[in-house]
Amino acid sequence: MTNIVKICSITAMVFLLSGAASCSKSINSDDVAIENARQQMKGQIDLIEEHPDTFLNPTTLKSDGTLFYCPVDDWRSGFFPGAMWYLYELTGDESLLPLAAKYTKAVSDAQHVRFHHDVGFMVGCSFGNALRLTGDTTTYAPAIVEAAKSLCTRFRPAAGVIQSWDVEPGGEREKKGWRCPTIIDNVMNLELLFEATRLSGDSTYYNVAVSHADRTLKEHFRPNGSCYHVIDYDPVSGDVRHRQTAQGCSDESAWARGQSWAIYGFTTVYRYTGDRRYLDRAEKTFDFVKNHPNMPSDLVPYWDLDAPGIPDEPRDVSTAAVIASGLYEMCRYCPDKAKEYKAYADNIMKSLASADYTAPFGENGNFILMHSVTSKPANVEIDVPLNYADYYYLEALKRKRDLEAGKSFK
Ligand code: GLY
């Protein structure tokens, strides 16, 4: 089925479904995108349910055309369960609830991961959404608090930051001379700490989150509003030793997803603290991205905004989805800019829902979106579907719908 035929048939199905309730109800493009997501993810679910021991957590498509299913300790293990919660929320389909619960339980061990910083993504996106939607603190809160404890083992008091990556003897990071590499992505893990304080009453997690946010605010950003990828600290003196990159094209370039983590992450920190400095940071980084001369007209950025081969460089759809979702939240805090931010996010969503980025039905490993990049410098997963692009796209659809309905943020 071509993409056009598929979108037409999904439109027809949405029309028939809604027509039963009301002939005058207009079909909006988000309904089509949601129905498309439901159908694509059904393909992923069917495979998992047929082979539950092997195919658990769809992550990306390998170059041989088969799916990669990540292990629980992979930083991406929370996105598929999280996407299931969003799909349930967007469709209201209750048959998805036990599946979302089952896939969340399957990543329980993520709460004990202490060898990298990504437990915020892993446990926040899975258990965090489970708790938000079910209110079941008995089942879901302990894993969030335990994961926060795990994350805090990586706090380095002299620098006031959570160390992102370990430095293994003889490994790449040691060769670079790093001692306490801390990446911009880490601001995305702070929501887990704020939630842990809310659930446990222990302010330790909140304080670690604020310390990390403050030092990141001070060290990670350039005067033009963009951010570095990696800051390496001296864990004893707390001084900055290096400002570099791992996934960008050069130390001074603007790695696209890093910018999106900063925009989204600092907006989240503002939600929990009410401290305007964090929101200002998110807005300044968004301004940088928005005004960058290499931003394409469809608003889906190249993998690095300064990549040398632009326009012949891959786009990164995951960046676009993260920016859209972050902007829908920023709309709530920036009344003067809300119209502008919403229009920008809506334009991203329009691009992502188009045949340029939404996969033909049954293709793309049943991931919703095409064309993301993990790491071009490492030659890993270039121009592929990624489960976190789908996750933030579904989240953005949900936030857009809530915003348009005037619902309070949850
Ligand atoms: N946090 C890893 C990445 O953004 O690729």
Side-chain angles (χ1 to χ4, degrees):
M1 208 184 317
T2 68
N3 222 14
I4 295 290
V5 172
K6 181 198 79 171
I7 286 171
C8 289
S9 61
I10 291 174
T11 306
M13 186 186 322
V14 173
F15 179 77
L16 285 172
L17 289 172
S18 60
S22 158
C23 288
S24 62
K25 183 179 186 288
S26 64
I27 313 299
N28 74 35
S29 55
D30 293 346
D31 294 335
V32 177
I34 291 164
E35 184 53 32
N36 174 66
R38 185 220 292 265
Q39 294 203 19
Q40 276 295 76
M41 285 181 70
K42 185 170 182 318
Q44 296 180 322
I45 294 164
D46 288 348
L47 257 180
I48 294 170
E49 294 304 305
E50 282 162 28
H51 308 272
D53 297 331
T54 331
F55 301 154
L56 188 59
N57 204 324
T59 308
T60 187
L61 209 47
K62 294 190 280 190
S63 50
D64 64 6
T66 60
L67 265 89
F68 174 67
Y69 292 87
C70 72
V72 169
D73 60 8
D74 187 298
W75 80 276
R76 302 167 291 188
S77 67
F79 293 121
F80 179 69
M84 287 292 298
W85 288 110
Y86 277 125
L87 190 65
Y88 157 68
E89 192 171 13
L90 285 163
T91 61
D93 178 351
E94 302 226 330
S95 71
L96 296 170
L97 264 177
L99 294 170
K102 183 165 76 172
Y103 304 153
T104 296
K105 191 165 171 234
V107 298
S108 285
D109 282 349
Q111 67 190 284
H112 305 299
V113 167
R114 295 186 170 191
F115 69 92
H116 63 70
H117 68 148
D118 285 315
V119 284
F121 285 109
M122 296 148 79
V123 175
C125 298
S126 52
F127 281 78
N129 277 307
L131 177 63
R132 181 177 65 80
L133 283 167
T134 65
D136 182 351
T137 47
T138 309
T139 306
Y140 296 118
I144 293 170
V145 177
E146 184 58 32
K149 259 185 214 151
S150 297
L151 188 55
C152 288
T153 64
R154 304 184 65 80
F155 185 63
R156 307 289 174 252
V161 298
I162 300 160
Q163 181 170 343
S164 296
W165 294 329
D166 286 353
V167 180
E168 276 135 20
E172 277 308 302
R173 292 165 194 152
E174 193 187 61
K175 284 186 198 141
K176 285 181 191 256
W178 292 346
R179 294 183 60 196
C180 176
T182 299
I183 61 177
I184 188 64
D185 321 29
N186 209 338
V187 287
M188 297 293 288
N189 291 311
L190 305 183
E191 180 169 9
L192 177 88
L193 299 180
F194 291 121
E195 279 295 298
T197 288
R198 183 180 74 77
L199 294 166
S200 67
D202 181 348
S203 59
T204 309
Y205 312 114
Y206 184 102
N207 293 337
V208 167
V210 167
S211 171
H212 183 92
D214 284 348
R215 191 77 202 264
T216 303
L217 213 52
K218 182 161 181 269
E219 309 294 358
H220 247 95
F221 291 88
R222 306 182 180 103
N224 68 5
S226 69
C227 63
Y228 287 93
H229 183 200
V230 185
I231 305 293
D232 177 47
Y233 295 95
D234 184 320
V236 178
S237 70
D239 294 342
V240 170
R241 302 178 68 245
H242 303 103
R243 287 186 168 86
Q244 289 184 285
T245 196
Q247 282 160 264
C249 66
S250 74
D251 290 341
E252 291 302 326
S253 74
W255 173 52
R257 196 160 52 251
Q259 313 310 306
S260 73
W261 293 144
I263 293 165
Y264 184 119
F266 276 106
T267 304
T268 308
V269 177
Y270 174 74
R271 186 201 317 154
Y272 285 95
T273 60
D275 185 333
R276 182 74 218 189
R277 292 175 306 139
Y278 303 129
L279 189 58
D280 288 348
R281 180 72 271 157
E283 290 196 85
K284 281 197 186 106
T285 303
F286 172 62
D287 280 347
F288 168 82
V289 169
K290 183 188 67 179
N291 296 321
H292 198 287
N294 290 337
M295 176 59 79
S297 58
D298 68 3
L299 309 182
V300 178
Y302 295 97
W303 67 280
D304 188 308
L305 302 181
D306 303 310
I310 288 172
D312 299 319
E313 294 275 359
R315 306 291 190 90
D316 180 39
V317 157
S318 73
T319 293
V322 173
I323 292 174
S325 189
L327 280 177
Y328 286 129
E329 179 166 11
M330 276 165 67
C331 288
R332 298 180 173 276
Y333 311 139
C334 307
D336 298 348
K337 295 282 190 76
K339 213 167 153 194
E340 179 201 327
Y341 292 164
K342 175 143 191 320
Y344 195 97
D346 287 351
N347 282 333
I348 293 176
M349 298 300 276
K350 199 168 156 199
S351 295
L352 297 186
S354 76
D356 289 342
Y357 300 104
T358 286
F361 178 63
E363 294 183 20
N364 200 40
N366 287 100
F367 292 97
I368 304 163
L369 299 174
M370 308 179 282
H371 305 315
S372 289
V373 175
T374 289
S375 177
K376 188 142 186 264
N379 199 19
V380 172
E381 297 167 358
I382 299 165
D383 196 13
V384 293
L386 288 169
N387 63 358
Y388 48 98
D390 286 4
Y391 172 89
Y392 287 104
Y393 178 58
L394 292 174
E395 182 182 80
L397 279 167
K398 182 263 178 199
R399 289 180 170 190
K400 179 173 188 285
R401 189 172 76 179
D402 285 357
L403 197 63
E404 287 168 358
K407 274 202 198 163
S408 66
F409 188 80
K410 258 181 77 184

